Amino acid sequence: MPVMKKNSEQTRIGSAFDKLAKQLGKPVEFELPEWFTKSKPMQYTFIKRNIYLTKKFKRRFEDDGIFCSCTPSPESPSVCGKDCQCGMLLSSCSSGCNCGSSCLNKAFQHRPVKKMKLVRTEKCGSGIVADEDIKLGDFIIEYVGEVIDDKTCEERLWKMKHRGETNFYLCEINRDMVIDATYKGNKSRYINHSCCPNTEMQKWIIDGETRIGIFATCDIQKGEHLTYDYQFVQFGADQDCHCGAVGCRRKLGVKPGKPKMSSDAALKLVAYQVYRNRGLQIGSSQVVDQSKCLSNCIGEVIRIKDLENVRFGIIKRFDKYSRKHSILFENGCVEIYDMSKEEWELVGL
């Protein structure tokens, strides 16, 4: 009897599955999206400062001879701004400086890290977007990891290649000294490459130690992807670049070359290099009234004053919702400007 009961249960279960299969119909072939089939980001340990697995070389301040003479005043209690001698030499102020506690040129660990968040991109795996507006020249985050020597770096690269890994988190800081953020690091390891980036890596001397800071090379709006140029040294098969920049070099590891643009645009920019210098007016043009130059100046060459530099570019697009223009500059990069807040003018021969 127990055997009969077991067979009866199997029959009921089998008929239930047959009924369900008929309701589902014939199987349909499909492919999972590429982002789903790709492996998840490699797990890593979060750290705030570099961890040295090689001998730490630390220079003394007296060897550098880098000291600033900035002093606070009643008019400006904060010191060590853009004119600080130490800052201009990419070095933080030290105890040998006269600036005191009101110094703005602080070591990386005392600077606020910009708000950012980790996102999933369509073609470049994980990435980082700004979670607040960032100004040109602002410190964003320090690139940290395990500091290893060249021998250890080569060993790790070979192991990663044999495992079939294609994501590398290496940054050379000095001869025989490399930061590897593969296993230990911070969010900076997820910043993707771009051939026309909005940030850059800078080598700074902090308390006698060479460290890497990531700084904004332009104004960055909340929600924009943070990128820098990897200057990638190829190890293994070529990797395609998916940054989507106007001057994209198509392959990681291809050295930046002279950007290609239309011959007409190139001739315009070359011609205007010899354009005589005139006074610039904020939000105005000497050729036509600015209010009439919102959407009908596409393709026109402008001269724009960016800090102390004068740059030439071509208006490529106007967004009527944000009221901002897209400007193509000589280096092939397209930047977004609110022309009502800039010093600029249309130019002509």
Side-chain angles (χ1 to χ4, degrees):
M1 288 298 294
V3 176
M4 292 286 293
K5 185 177 180 181
K6 185 176 180 181
N7 290 339
S8 177
E9 289 177 355
Q10 289 177 343
T11 302
R12 285 202 304 272
I13 293 172
S15 61
F17 273 111
D18 290 340
K19 185 177 180 181
L20 180 61
K22 289 179 181 179
Q23 291 176 351
L24 292 175
K26 293 183 180 181
V28 178
E29 294 185 2
F30 68 95
E31 292 184 1
L32 291 171
E34 188 178 2
W35 63 264
F36 187 86
T37 57
K38 284 185 176 179
S39 60
K40 295 181 179 179
M42 180 184 294
Q43 296 297 314
Y44 73 101
T45 302
F46 171 78
I47 58 175
K48 293 183 178 180
R49 292 284 300 274
N50 287 327
I51 296 176
Y52 281 77
L53 302 184
T54 185
K55 185 178 179 181
K56 187 175 182 180
F57 176 68
K58 194 171 182 179
R59 292 185 293 182
R60 300 177 300 174
F61 292 114
E62 53 267 32
D63 293 335
D64 293 328
I66 302 175
F67 307 105
C68 80
S69 56
C70 306
T71 53
S73 64
E75 297 81 16
S76 179
S78 298
V79 292
C80 299
K82 295 180 179 179
D83 296 330
C84 175
Q85 295 97 318
C86 291
M88 289 189 289
L89 294 172
L90 302 187
S91 174
S92 66
C93 290
S94 68
S95 56
C97 300
N98 300 320
C99 46
S101 59
S102 56
C103 173
L104 297 176
N105 186 33
K106 299 175 181 178
F108 290 165
Q109 65 266 28
H110 300 308
R111 301 189 188 194
V113 173
K114 296 299 182 184
K115 295 179 183 178
M116 60 189 77
K117 59 183 178 181
L118 180 66
V119 297
R120 190 74 180 176
T121 68
E122 183 179 354
K123 295 182 179 180
C124 301
S126 299
I128 293 290
V129 298
D131 208 21
E132 64 175 312
D133 291 340
I134 301 173
K135 296 294 185 183
L136 167 68
D138 280 357
F139 170 78
I140 297 175
I141 193 173
E142 180 181 1
Y143 192 90
V144 299
E146 295 177 299
V147 181
I148 57 179
D149 57 23
D150 288 347
K151 182 175 180 295
T152 306
C153 178
E154 184 177 354
E155 291 173 352
R156 288 189 176 187
L157 280 171
W158 279 113
K159 289 179 181 178
M160 293 172 72
K161 183 179 181 181
H162 292 321
R163 290 197 299 265
E165 296 179 16
T166 57
N167 295 318
F168 303 99
Y169 305 92
L170 304 170
C171 177
E172 184 178 30
I173 53 176
N174 277 323
R175 184 175 177 273
D176 202 27
M177 194 172 287
V178 176
I179 297 177
D180 182 6
T182 304
Y183 308 109
K184 297 178 181 180
N186 60 17
K187 285 184 178 179
S188 64
R189 71 198 292 277
Y190 290 118
I191 297 178
N192 279 320
H193 163 84
S194 175
C195 298
C196 186
N198 53 17
T199 75
E200 67 178 2
M201 283 186 164
Q202 295 180 5
K203 290 184 183 181
W204 279 64
I205 303 298
I206 309 292
D207 297 330
E209 174 189 346
T210 302
R211 290 159 64 178
I212 304 296
I214 298 177
F215 292 80
T217 56
C218 62
D219 289 342
I220 303 171
Q221 294 183 346
K222 180 179 179 180
E224 283 189 53
H225 282 263
L226 300 181
T227 58
Y228 65 88
D229 192 334
Y230 283 2
Q231 308 259 325
F232 187 70
V233 177
Q234 188 58 42
F235 186 83
D238 288 342
Q239 292 190 34
D240 294 331
C241 178
H242 301 289
C243 71
V246 174
C248 179
R249 303 190 292 271
R250 307 305 175 194
K251 294 286 184 180
L252 291 179
V254 178
K255 294 183 179 180
K258 191 172 182 180
K260 294 181 179 179
M261 59 176 68
S262 70
S263 57
D264 185 45
L267 284 172
K268 280 186 177 182
L269 288 178
V270 171
Y272 293 127
Q273 289 300 323
V274 297
Y275 182 77
R276 65 187 180 86
N277 189 27
R278 297 179 184 174
L280 300 181
Q281 300 176 358
I282 296 177
S284 66
S285 166
Q286 295 181 350
V287 180
V288 294
D289 182 73
Q290 187 211 356
S291 61
K292 299 178 181 179
C293 188
L294 294 179
S295 58
N296 62 345
C297 293
I298 306 302
E300 295 293 335
V301 176
I302 66 166
R303 187 173 59 164
I304 186 168
K305 188 174 182 181
D306 189 358
L307 296 179
E308 297 302 320
N309 299 319
V310 174
R311 306 168 68 190
F312 289 86
I314 298 177
I315 299 176
K316 301 297 292 183
R317 182 175 175 270
F318 174 72
D319 189 326
K320 64 180 181 180
Y321 300 104
S322 66
R323 313 296 289 180
K324 294 182 179 180
H325 290 76
S326 300
I327 311 297
L328 172 64
F329 290 100
E330 297 165 276
N331 59 1
C333 291
V334 175
E335 299 179 21
I336 310 298
Y337 280 89
D338 182 349
M339 303 302 286
S340 65
K341 299 178 181 179
E342 304 294 336
E343 297 183 37
W344 66 279
E345 67 176 353
L346 287 168
V347 294
L349 295 175

